[in-house]
Amino acid sequence: MSVVEASPAQRRLFYGLSEANTRSNLSEHHRRFGESPMPPIHHRHRWRERFQGELEASGLTGRGGAEFPVATKLAAVRSHRRHGVVVVNSMEGEPASQKDATLARYAPHLVLDGAELMAAALGASRVHVCVARDRERAARAYEVAAKERIHAGSVTEFTIGTPPAHYVAGEESSLSRWIDGGSAIPTFRPNRPSIPVIGGRAALVDNAETLAHVALIARYGSEWFRSVGTPDSPGTTLLTISGAVTRPGVYETAFGQTVEALVGYAGAESGGVSAVLLGGYGGTWLPGHEIVTPLASEELKKVGCRIGPGVMVALGSGHCGLAETARIVEWMATQSAGQCGPCVFGLPALAEDLKAIATTNVSPSVVERVWSRLLAVEGRGACRHPDGVVRLVRSAFRAFSDDVDYHLANGPCLGARLRTCMAGVSERRIVQWR
Amino acid sequence: MAVRLQIDPIACDAFGYCAELAPELITLDEWGYPLVEGHLVPIELAQDARAAVQSCPRKAIRFVHVEPSSRGRVAISGSKRRPTRSPR
């Protein structure tokens, strides 16, 4: 996938990056963004308060999918009695997402700057970078970058870890358990949101892109960050756009542009897109008549959608959204950690029902059964994996309600026989847990 | 103190004893895993709820105390135990 900018004024994380210049070493990084504003030796406390305040004012939200306010999370970890680990989450279990891998290749120092700043804010000296095992290039990029920083005199201890590549391995609790020497599978946390603990210390787990934004906010301030985007979704975001587009890739854009314009940048023909999958495989379908909605969480909420981890998959107009959803759910069922009954049995059952609806002649009772099974699965896993599937299926039934009626009346449509326009559905199967 | 039931979905192995012992509070889904509605446990069902908690072979079901602010219905009272234990 290539890196393309939406328009130069909106390039922030990708600033200075071009076809001719894809260097990502430390000196190039300093040339682009200047030195990272590390805290002074004296008045650290004051610096931490200011840093915390700046993050709060920026309104930055986590870019791993949960859209949780970054400052709130930092404050929660800081308030813990024993804190002191920062984890860079670059797992990117979403097959349709490439943004974190792209950041690792082209701007690893921006991510590490952010992690170092967060560590300074916590008084921590240790940063764990977690990259999924099958994203070798990203892991190597971080290793090279960490070495460069040590040579340049950084005192932060960087550890690059490669947990197993798996959809739920990127979950906070999976990562903290894996770093502690266990399997990369989620744990049951009855009181959420909860703070993960690594080696007896509260850990700050942030998505790689989130930390890259932190690095820029620390340099240029919250006002600068908010100068683009919308009041409720300030700043820019990375988007991985794929599907029925001629230029799939990772784009950086300010919030507030319409989804239609964004898939247009990536080369979607106008009228050639019947729906857009937002937020990845645990995300939501935005139907064709709603793709004029601006990319901003408050606007998308109105139509029942979410940005999630910045994934957009354009569904070609000839394709069948139900068949695509069935394939995604089938894949998601294979990604269960196998711990919770409703996920272990519920997701394959849902996948089978959806496959039947998409590819055979079924009675309306199957659709009814899907609705009741969604209720039986929702909220009943230790992690949010089953909930993502529920969200996806619900939004598919909403976005493709006409298709459901058509399939029930006439059997599978022509589009259901086409090959998938999703990337990676058949790849990345379970291999290992540790 | 108001309490409700909570299932640890990882520990639960669908033995189903809980639904047998407290059918008014716990039902099973089509795969045999217990469904507890978020309701508070009413006092008249406290005995059943306790039996369900104590009989679980996986220790996957427990009482959790509900904050007084969210208390809606009459519930077991007088517990001095820690939240994870069954109230006496």
Side-chain angles (χ1 to χ4, degrees):
Chain A
M1 285 210 185
S2 57
V3 181
V4 199
E5 73 283 9
S7 90
Q10 291 162 358
R11 266 194 300 169
R12 291 181 159 198
L13 304 181
F14 287 165
Y15 172 74
L17 200 62
S18 65
E19 293 282 320
N21 181 4
T22 56
R23 274 174 299 158
S24 60
N25 56 16
L26 193 57
S27 57
E28 174 68 19
H29 168 70
H30 285 157
R31 199 183 61 73
R32 279 179 198 164
F33 301 106
E35 297 254 341
S36 178
M38 284 306 279
I41 293 161
H42 303 292
H43 309 299
R44 286 217 157 193
H45 183 73
R46 208 184 296 160
W47 178 88
R48 277 176 198 153
E49 292 308 315
R50 221 180 33 239
F51 179 71
Q52 172 82 39
E54 207 62 32
L55 278 186
E56 233 156 76
S58 74
L60 175 67
T61 54
R63 297 293 156 77
E67 294 169 42
F68 192 77
V70 172
T72 312
K73 197 179 196 171
L74 175 65
V77 177
R78 283 179 71 195
S79 71
H80 237 253
R81 217 179 329 145
R82 277 167 66 82
H83 56 245
V85 194
V86 173
V87 179
V88 179
N89 189 347
S90 184
M91 292 293 292
E92 207 164 38
E94 278 285 340
S97 180
Q98 291 288 341
K99 68 174 179 87
D100 291 333
T102 305
L103 261 185
R105 272 188 66 195
Y106 296 110
H109 285 292
L110 213 47
V111 178
L112 297 184
D113 273 355
E116 222 168 13
L117 286 161
M118 287 302 215
L122 288 173
S125 58
R126 191 166 266 273
V127 171
H128 288 276
V129 184
C130 291
V131 186
R133 202 163 290 168
D134 63 346
R135 297 195 187 261
E136 287 149 17
R137 281 176 99 166
R140 242 193 338 264
Y142 279 123
E143 266 161 27
V144 170
K147 262 192 204 129
E148 267 187 288
R149 294 174 88 92
I150 289 163
H151 279 300
S154 166
V155 289
T156 314
E157 273 178 75
F158 290 101
T159 317
I160 320 293
T162 52
H166 195 274
Y167 197 84
V168 294
E171 232 256 337
E172 273 189 0
S173 67
S174 306
L175 280 188
S176 48
R177 186 195 271 203
W178 186 83
I179 293 170
D180 261 346
S183 306
I185 49 179
T187 47
F188 175 56
R189 291 136 298 151
N191 306 312
R192 271 188 284 198
S194 71
I195 296 164
V197 174
I198 295 171
R201 288 170 180 278
L204 181 72
V205 184
D206 270 322
N207 172 260
E209 186 199 338
T210 312
L211 292 170
H213 285 293
V214 169
L216 292 187
I217 291 167
R219 281 181 171 85
Y220 311 131
S222 58
E223 240 168 74
W224 166 87
F225 183 74
R226 299 190 71 98
S227 64
V228 296
T230 68
D232 287 315
S233 296
T236 63
T237 188
L238 296 184
L239 292 174
T240 315
I241 307 181
S242 62
V245 292
T246 52
R247 292 185 300 276
V250 178
Y251 291 75
E252 179 170 20
T253 179
F255 286 108
Q257 302 226 48
T258 66
V259 173
E260 190 179 27
L262 290 165
V263 292
Y265 281 130
E269 285 170 38
S270 67
V273 172
S274 60
V276 175
L277 176 64
L278 283 179
Y281 290 2
T284 43
W285 286 102
L286 188 67
H289 63 273
E290 281 171 358
I291 61 172
V292 290
T293 314
L295 185 81
S297 45
E298 68 281 5
E299 295 288 335
L300 287 169
K301 215 173 270 169
K302 284 182 205 155
V303 291
C305 287
R306 56 200 289 282
I307 300 165
V311 172
M312 279 190 185
V313 188
L315 183 72
S317 50
H319 287 262
C320 173
L322 293 173
E324 295 289 7
T325 308
R327 280 190 278 256
I328 296 174
V329 174
E330 196 178 2
W331 185 83
M332 290 288 266
T334 69
Q335 296 296 299
S336 167
Q339 298 190 106
C340 310
C343 183
V344 170
F345 295 101
L347 298 194
L350 278 172
E352 213 162 283
D353 284 350
L354 285 166
K355 198 172 183 181
I357 294 168
T359 60
T360 59
N361 258 316
V362 292
S363 69
S365 67
V366 178
V367 177
E368 292 296 314
R369 190 169 66 196
V370 171
W371 281 112
S372 68
R373 281 180 169 169
L374 289 178
L375 284 177
V377 167
E378 189 175 28
R380 293 185 64 218
C383 71
R384 297 276 189 232
H385 181 62
D387 298 358
V389 175
V390 169
R391 187 163 50 220
L392 176 80
V393 175
R394 279 216 182 108
S395 79
F397 275 2
R398 192 184 71 93
F400 308 121
S401 59
D402 293 351
D403 301 72
V404 175
D405 293 343
Y406 180 92
H407 278 244
L408 288 179
N410 310 306
C413 64
L414 284 173
R417 295 189 199 131
L418 291 178
R419 277 175 59 97
T420 179
C421 62
M422 305 279 156
V425 179
S426 54
E427 303 155 20
R428 307 189 88 209
R429 297 269 168 181
I430 307 176
V431 260
Q432 49 203 342
W433 289 109
R434 292 171 84 97
Chain B
M1 192 60 111
V3 294
R4 60 183 181 82
L5 292 168
Q6 183 182 61
I7 310 276
D8 176 345
I10 294 178
C12 177
D13 262 341
F15 278 80
Y17 299 170
C18 52
E20 199 83 18
L21 293 163
E24 288 94 341
L25 292 166
I26 302 160
T27 51
L28 298 181
D29 66 15
E30 61 178 299
W31 307 288
Y33 289 85
L35 284 155
V36 289
E37 302 301 329
H39 304 314
L40 302 182
V41 177
I43 189 126
E44 61 273 16
L45 294 176
Q47 285 285 356
D48 292 0
R50 195 175 300 145
V53 169
Q54 285 169 350
S55 69
C56 179
R58 290 279 180 254
K59 302 256 181 291
I61 180 165
R62 63 177 197 172
F63 286 108
V64 282
H65 286 231
V66 180
E67 293 297 314
S69 58
S70 58
R71 187 187 299 187
R73 296 171 58 191
V74 187
I76 302 172
S77 57
S79 166
K80 298 230 164 49
R81 288 273 187 127
R82 285 178 45 213
T84 47
R85 304 278 183 78
S86 72
R88 284 278 148 78

